[in-house]
Amino acid sequence: MRRLALCGTLLLTAMLALPAVAADTYKFQWNTDDSLSWRDPGHALKLRSDNATGITVIKTDPEPLWGLQQGDVIVAVDNHPVQHVSELLTRLHASKPAAVELHLRRGGTPLVLAVAAADYASIVEPDPPKPPTPPTPPTPPTPPAPPIPPSGG
């Protein structure tokens, strides 16, 4: 029993110490078709989509993040309408490595933000690795030349 209590105390101490050490050294992303929660050292972004309004910026840290502020509603990427977080991520992925224009509403006023590819690259899924090039098939051996018949002379 004493051993179990000691293990529990050590585990609790490690868990309490970990956030202080790792708070700025990890990356986290969780998304569905209609939400995104992303955190990178020193930055955080939360988005939620709604069919009626578009993609609402729930949180940015720091604010503003890439020009986005809490309450902004993203309605298009490079003039392509988006209503769901999954559509936004697809458009961003297709635009890599170029900057994009985010069309949004801020307090009912239309606004366009230019966002550099370096800024949004970490929230976009990386391209899957390319499959390895298949090996070149071996060259079949050259058949021997047929024998030359002796000349009869």
Side-chain angles (χ1 to χ4, degrees):
M1 185 67 146
R2 186 171 160 192
R3 181 185 225 172
L4 183 60
L6 178 61
C7 288
T9 303
L10 289 174
L11 181 61
L12 181 60
T13 303
M15 287 173 53
L16 291 174
L18 184 61
V21 173
D24 285 337
T25 60
Y26 77 97
K27 178 180 174 181
F28 170 77
Q29 181 169 334
W30 179 80
N31 58 287
T32 66
D33 282 348
D34 293 318
S35 66
L36 169 86
S37 290
W38 169 82
R39 180 170 172 79
D40 207 359
H43 302 92
L45 178 66
K46 286 189 180 184
L47 305 173
R48 185 174 26 235
S49 53
D50 178 338
N51 286 339
T53 59
I55 302 165
T56 303
V57 177
I58 304 300
K59 176 184 177 184
T60 65
D61 186 26
E63 185 166 79
L65 178 66
W66 312 321
L68 292 170
Q69 296 179 7
Q70 183 176 342
D72 287 349
V73 178
I74 302 167
V75 296
V77 176
D78 289 335
N79 291 316
H80 297 281
V82 291
Q83 287 189 316
H84 299 278
V85 169
S86 59
E87 294 170 339
L88 170 70
L89 294 175
T90 298
R91 287 284 173 200
L92 292 175
H93 187 272
S95 297
K96 279 187 353 186
V100 296
E101 287 187 341
L102 292 181
H103 298 257
L104 49 105
R105 288 188 314 267
R106 179 174 291 161
T109 304
L111 183 65
V112 178
L113 295 176
V115 180
D119 291 336
Y120 72 79
S122 61
I123 66 169
V124 176
E125 293 288 328
D127 290 328
K130 294 182 179 180
T133 305
T136 306
T139 308
T142 307
I148 302 174
S151 58

